[in-house]
Amino acid sequence: MQASSLSKTKENTWGGGGSKPLDAAYGKLMMWFFIVSDALTFSGFLVAYGFSRFKNIDSWPIADEVFTHFPFLHGIDAPMYYVALMTFILIFSSVTMVLAVDAGHNNNKNRVAFYMLLTIIGGAVFVGSQAWEWKNFIKGEYGAVEIQNGDILQFYNLEEEKRIPIDEFYISSTQERITHDDNVGIWYLSEAKLPEITLQEVMAGFNNDQNLTVRLEKLDDTGHKIILSRDEAEIKLASATRVVKGANLIRNEYGNPLFADFFFFITGFHGFHVFSGVILNIIIFINVLLGTYEKRGQYDMVEKVGLYWHFVDLVWVFVFTFFYLV
Amino acid sequence: MAEHKHKLAIFRGRLKFKSNVQKIWGVLVFLSIVTAIEVALGIIKPPILLNYFLGIKILNWIFIIMTIIKAYYITWDFMHVRDEKPFLKNTIVVPLLILIPFLLFILLWEGSYIFEVMFDGLKAWNFDIY
C-alpha cells in the first residue's frame, strides 16, 4: 500500500488481488473486524451472566425491584421506565449518527457537523444516565440483613403487604460506636466504615413490631420471593451478622452478590465503550469543523466512527434485554 | 463519493422509502415501536406468557426474538450492511452466528446442570461458618 496523502485517500478500497471481493475501504474493514471481535467479548460477558443466572435460577434478584427510580419522581415505583428512556436516547443518537454519515455521502459539511453534535449530546446524556443508575444502585433503597450463610433477608410488612425500608422501623440506640481508625490504636488495625444503622437497632425495631417478617432470596414457583411467617423469620434472623444497604462488589441488598458484580462489570464496560465513542465522536466533530474531510473530498472517517457508535447501541439493546427484561 | 447507492426497501421489499434519510426515520419508528412493546410487556407481564417453552418463559422468548429483530435492523440499516457485498456480510455475520450460539449452549447447559447438582444432590448448601 502506498503512503496515503490527503488527496490520495480517495481510492482506498481494499484491492484483494484486483477483484475487490469486499468492495469496502481498508479502514472500514478493520473497524468491522474490531466490531466482530468486540461483539464476541460482550457475548462472552453476557453468556457468563446467563451461566451464573442459570446456576442460581431459584434465587436471582428481580430486576423490576432493583431499578425502580425515575428522575424527580421520588418514592414512586417506576420499574424500567428510565432504562427504556435511556435505550431510546441511545437509539436516537444512533439515528443522528447515521444521518451524519448520510450527509457525509452528500459532502454537506454543515449537516455532518450538526448531526455529529447531536450524537455527542445523546451519548453524553446516556453516560450521565448510566452514572445516575449506578448511584441509585450503590446507594440502595430498602436495606437488608445478611445472615451467617451469606443469604440476604429483606424486611416485609405483613399488615401493609409490602416491603419496608429498615430506616422506617429501626429503633435508634443512644449508645455510640465510632469507626475504629488506624490513627487511634495500633497502626495496622482499622475497620471498614460502620453502617449508619446498626444490626442491634434493626433487631430492636423488628422485635418491637409484630407485623414485620422477612423475605428470602429464594423464589417460589410464580417467580416471587418467598415471604416467611413471623416465627420462621425470628429463627432466620437469629443468625444475622450485618446490615446491608445498597450494593458493592462484595454484597448487595438485592440478593446474590454475582448480580451486582455482573451489573457493574457489563454496564461499566459498555459505559466505557460509550464514553470512548463520545471522545472519538468529538475528535471527528472537530475534524469536520476544521474541514479536514472537506479537503479530502470524502467523509469515510464519519462512517467508520459511526459503525462503532451503532455497535455500542447494538450492545445496549442486548444488555437492556438480558439485565432488565428477561 | 457520489456512487453511494442504498437499498431503500425494508421488510423484504414490502416497505419502500424514497430516500435514505426517510428510511432512517422509518427504521427509528419501527425500533421505537418494538422497544415500547417490550417495555409494556415487561411491566404488564401477561400471565399466559409466563408459561415455559423449551425451558424458558414464553415472555422471555418474545424479548429475545424482539432483541434479535432490533439487532438486525440496527446492523442492516444503520450500519449499512444491507448495502454491502454478500462476501462482507458473511464475513461479519457467519462467525458470530456460529460462535455465539455455541457458547450460549455450552454455558447455559452447564449452568443448569450445576443448579441441579446443588439443588438435588446435597442435603443442604449452607455453610455455618461464613
Side-chain angles (χ1 to χ4, degrees):
Chain A
M1 273 231 152
Q2 289 172 312
S4 55
S5 67
L6 279 180
S7 56
K8 275 276 168 89
T9 46
K10 263 185 180 177
E11 294 161 46
N12 58 356
T13 304
W14 179 57
S19 59
K20 294 190 181 171
L22 305 179
D23 198 22
Y26 186 75
K28 192 167 132 183
L29 282 183
M30 291 306 116
M31 181 52 91
W32 266 117
F33 292 148
F34 165 71
I35 286 172
V36 170
S37 69
D38 215 21
L40 288 173
T41 308
F42 269 109
S43 46
F45 293 157
L46 283 174
V47 170
Y49 171 79
F51 170 81
S52 300
R53 190 163 169 177
F54 270 60
K55 189 178 146 191
N56 300 292
I57 196 82
D58 60 345
S59 62
W60 201 249
I62 303 165
D64 285 359
E65 292 180 354
V66 180
F67 308 102
T68 57
H69 301 270
F70 200 89
F72 311 115
L73 296 179
H74 294 288
I76 295 170
D77 196 38
M80 290 203 318
Y81 292 105
Y82 193 57
V83 258
L85 181 69
M86 280 165 70
T87 309
F88 187 76
I89 289 169
L90 204 58
I91 290 179
F92 196 79
S93 83
S94 223
V95 165
T96 55
M97 187 79 230
V98 78
L99 289 171
V101 173
D102 188 72
H105 288 161
N106 301 322
N107 285 324
N108 190 336
K109 181 183 157 186
N110 289 336
R111 289 195 85 82
V112 177
F114 173 67
Y115 286 129
M116 286 298 292
L117 183 65
L118 285 186
T119 310
I120 291 164
I121 293 170
V125 171
F126 181 84
V127 176
S129 311
Q130 217 167 31
W132 190 75
E133 190 92 337
W134 272 45
K135 186 218 90 188
N136 285 329
F137 188 64
I138 292 168
K139 195 167 144 239
E141 194 174 6
Y142 288 95
V145 160
E146 187 183 280
I147 56 173
Q148 209 164 31
N149 66 10
D151 281 0
I152 293 288
L153 302 180
Q154 298 168 334
F155 290 94
Y156 189 85
N157 192 324
L158 281 170
E159 196 181 35
E160 294 170 23
E161 294 193 341
K162 61 175 192 184
R163 286 181 66 189
I164 179 164
I166 49 171
D167 47 15
E168 273 181 25
F169 69 83
Y170 81 101
I171 294 171
S172 85
S173 65
T174 50
Q175 196 183 18
E176 199 173 311
R177 161 95 159 73
I178 53 169
T179 310
H180 179 71
D181 286 325
D182 53 8
N183 61 351
V184 290
I186 306 169
W187 58 272
Y188 56 82
L189 281 182
S190 64
E191 65 182 358
K193 194 168 169 287
L194 289 176
E196 282 167 24
I197 301 169
T198 64
L199 184 61
Q200 286 74 26
E201 289 171 332
V202 172
M203 290 310 294
F206 181 81
N207 292 331
N208 188 39
D209 188 348
Q210 290 296 314
N211 286 322
L212 297 182
T213 183
V214 295
R215 292 200 322 170
L216 297 177
E217 278 182 37
K218 285 249 179 295
L219 304 169
D220 61 13
D221 292 336
T222 56
H224 295 99
K225 294 203 178 292
I226 295 170
I227 298 163
L228 294 184
S229 68
R230 173 77 193 185
D231 294 341
E232 289 169 321
E234 277 171 7
I235 296 167
K236 278 271 178 196
L237 275 173
S239 67
T241 51
R242 64 168 73 227
V243 174
V244 180
K245 184 98 202 287
N248 55 40
L249 289 171
I250 300 165
R251 52 178 65 84
N252 68 71
E253 65 166 66
Y254 307 103
N256 201 316
L258 280 172
F259 176 76
D261 296 349
F262 276 109
F263 177 79
F264 286 128
F265 194 69
I266 296 179
T267 63
F269 200 65
H270 176 264
F272 179 66
H273 272 74
V274 180
F275 176 73
S276 17
V278 170
I279 300 288
L280 289 175
N281 280 345
I282 289 172
I283 293 169
I284 301 296
F285 175 64
I286 291 169
N287 269 330
V288 171
L289 288 185
L290 293 175
T292 312
Y293 309 124
E294 188 87 2
K295 278 181 220 143
R296 258 183 220 178
Q298 40 99 334
Y299 283 81
D300 264 16
M301 283 307 285
V302 179
E303 191 171 344
K304 285 167 211 165
V305 85
L307 284 179
Y308 178 72
W309 191 252
H310 298 311
F311 170 69
V312 167
D313 178 25
L314 186 65
V315 169
W316 180 255
V317 166
F318 282 90
V319 172
F320 173 62
T321 303
F322 292 115
F323 258 97
Y324 297 96
L325 290 177
V326 168
Chain B
M1 295 293 252
E3 78 275 17
H4 273 287
K5 285 212 176 76
H6 297 287
K7 290 177 183 156
L8 297 177
I10 61 171
F11 303 135
R12 301 203 151 268
R14 283 194 192 96
L15 188 56
K16 288 202 176 76
F17 294 101
K18 284 189 196 111
S19 70
N20 193 36
V21 176
Q22 261 192 8
K23 184 179 84 169
I24 294 163
W25 289 111
V27 172
L28 170 69
V29 170
F30 176 69
L31 291 179
S32 308
I33 292 170
V34 173
T35 309
I37 294 173
E38 276 186 336
V39 173
L41 281 177
I43 290 166
I44 300 165
K45 289 200 170 127
I48 318 157
L49 298 178
L50 295 180
N51 297 317
Y52 283 82
F53 178 71
L54 292 180
I56 295 176
K57 282 177 195 153
I58 297 171
L59 187 64
N60 290 350
W61 278 116
I62 293 173
F63 287 146
I64 290 164
I65 290 164
M66 283 180 138
T67 305
I68 292 168
I69 291 171
K70 279 203 282 187
Y72 173 82
Y73 282 99
I74 289 171
T75 42
W76 250 242
D77 290 310
F78 288 175
M79 296 166 103
H80 299 302
V81 172
R82 203 186 286 278
D83 305 328
E84 305 290 358
K85 279 196 163 183
F87 228 131
L88 181 50
K89 272 186 202 172
N90 291 334
T91 312
I92 296 159
V93 175
V94 172
L96 298 178
L97 278 188
I98 295 171
L99 291 171
I100 294 173
F102 174 65
L103 192 64
L104 258 177
F105 169 74
I106 289 183
L107 274 159
L108 295 190
W109 197 273
E110 185 68 14
S112 27
Y113 172 72
I114 294 177
F115 168 74
E116 275 165 35
V117 168
M118 283 160 67
F119 189 75
D120 301 330
L122 295 155
K123 212 151 188 201
W125 194 253
N126 191 345
F127 303 108
D128 256 356
I129 303 157
Y130 180 62

